[in-house]
Amino acid sequence: ERAREILESGARRGSNRLGVEAMELLDAYGIPTPQGDVVSSPVEAEAIAEDIGDDVVMKIVSPDILHKSDIGGVEVGVPVEEVRDTYEDLVVRARNYQEDATILGVQVQEMVDLDNGVETILGMNRDPQFGPLLLFGLGGIFVEVLEDNTVSVAPVSENEAKGMLDDIDSAPLLRGARGRDPVDEATLVETIQRLSQLVTDFPAIVELDINPLVATPDGVQAVDLRLTLD
Ligand code: ADP
Ligand code: MG
């Protein structure tokens, strides 16, 4: 099926690291991702942005660049008329960082409303003893600073997935603290279970991170993906 093809195309490239170019893997498991695509020219990037019909986010796509924003590889809120230049800028920054970096292209992605959302992290680490450990917690820029997360062995039941939400200290943030609207908890729980299914189906995935998984009152959006194959 489609998910297998995506993982195999990564392996064929001789890289065991996949990034946002593998986002379709999430779509295949019903985990929502923002509209967008990875393209390999400024003109194609512009066409995607015109399709989206609003300001976009652009990201360098390279197996050699793990933290894209650290090297200036993420541009948020790019107007359509700046998409072509931004494409070139992103490639130059990647080359400055590592001259011989493999560059797969640039992702052009729909903007996600972070003001009404909470950036969470949903990930998996395969432990030799315990098997796939799912991790859920506060994501985005807070992930290292606050270290608010919880771990559960996959596969998880609906109740176990719910329990993961309850477990984190920031649970009130998801449930509408300080006058915010509560996030769509049912979809969040479903998403944890869908990732659980994905990593159960593919033992070759040894590590996976969706960071951020943006949770909003209307659902969730997996904005970034990174995974490692064995
Ligand atoms: P990396 O983690 O490799 O630096 P990300 O794709 O996670 O790259 O982007 C970094 C940050 O940029 C995210 O944590 C988020 O705050 C912001 N961002 C990325 N994509 C979007 C998007 N589609 N809409 C809004 N903000 C985004
Ligand atoms: Mg990220």
Side-chain angles (χ1 to χ4, degrees):
E1 88 275 76
R2 187 70 192 122
R4 200 168 299 278
E5 281 169 33
I6 294 162
L7 293 176
E8 278 166 4
S9 80
R12 258 200 312 280
R13 279 201 325 269
S15 171
N16 63 343
R17 284 182 201 284
L18 276 67
V20 291
E21 76 278 9
M23 291 262 267
E24 260 188 83
L25 185 63
L26 301 180
D27 296 321
Y29 274 79
I31 298 173
T33 59
Q35 189 187 340
D37 213 344
V38 176
V39 293
S40 50
S41 74
V43 172
E44 289 170 286
E46 189 178 54
I48 302 286
E50 275 162 1
D51 250 23
I52 291 171
D54 203 344
D55 292 359
V56 293
V57 179
M58 297 177 67
K59 310 179 190 185
I60 196 75
V61 184
S62 161
D64 299 315
I65 298 169
L66 289 186
H67 299 284
K68 298 177 287 297
S69 40
D70 285 357
I71 65 129
V74 178
E75 282 290 342
V76 179
V78 183
V80 181
E81 58 274 18
E82 285 172 25
V83 163
R84 280 198 270 170
D85 285 348
T86 303
Y87 187 105
E88 309 281 13
D89 291 346
L90 291 173
V91 172
V92 168
R93 286 176 207 158
R95 290 267 170 252
N96 286 340
Y97 167 72
Q98 187 184 324
E99 216 179 304
D100 64 351
T102 300
I103 294 173
L104 299 176
V106 166
Q107 184 190 41
V108 182
Q109 190 179 58
E110 177 191 356
M111 295 270 286
V112 168
D113 179 13
L114 294 179
D115 290 343
N116 290 307
V118 180
E119 290 191 73
T120 68
I121 179 170
L122 178 59
M124 185 277 300
N125 230 310
R126 204 170 291 273
D127 182 271
Q129 193 180 347
F130 298 105
L133 301 179
L134 294 179
L135 177 139
F136 173 75
L138 205 60
I141 52 168
F142 300 119
V143 69
E144 275 109 25
V145 190
L146 298 179
E147 281 196 60
D148 181 16
N149 56 57
T150 182
V151 169
S152 205
V153 181
V156 291
S157 66
E158 187 180 342
N159 271 330
E160 286 169 319
K162 277 188 185 138
M164 291 180 84
L165 298 198
D166 296 330
D167 263 1
I168 64 169
D169 297 332
S170 322
L173 201 67
L174 299 171
R175 295 185 167 137
R178 301 191 173 228
R180 299 167 64 99
D181 286 332
V183 306
D184 178 352
E185 214 171 296
T187 301
L188 196 48
V189 167
E190 204 175 280
T191 301
I192 293 173
Q193 287 189 275
R194 286 169 189 257
L195 183 73
S196 168
Q197 188 63 53
L198 193 166
V199 300
T200 305
D201 291 348
F202 292 100
I205 303 176
V206 290
E207 207 176 13
L208 185 153
D209 267 316
I210 303 172
N211 184 23
L213 174 74
V214 179
T216 72
D218 306 315
V220 303
Q221 293 273 22
V223 159
D224 188 21
L225 172 67
R226 178 161 74 222
L227 66 89
T228 309
L229 300 171
D230 72 3

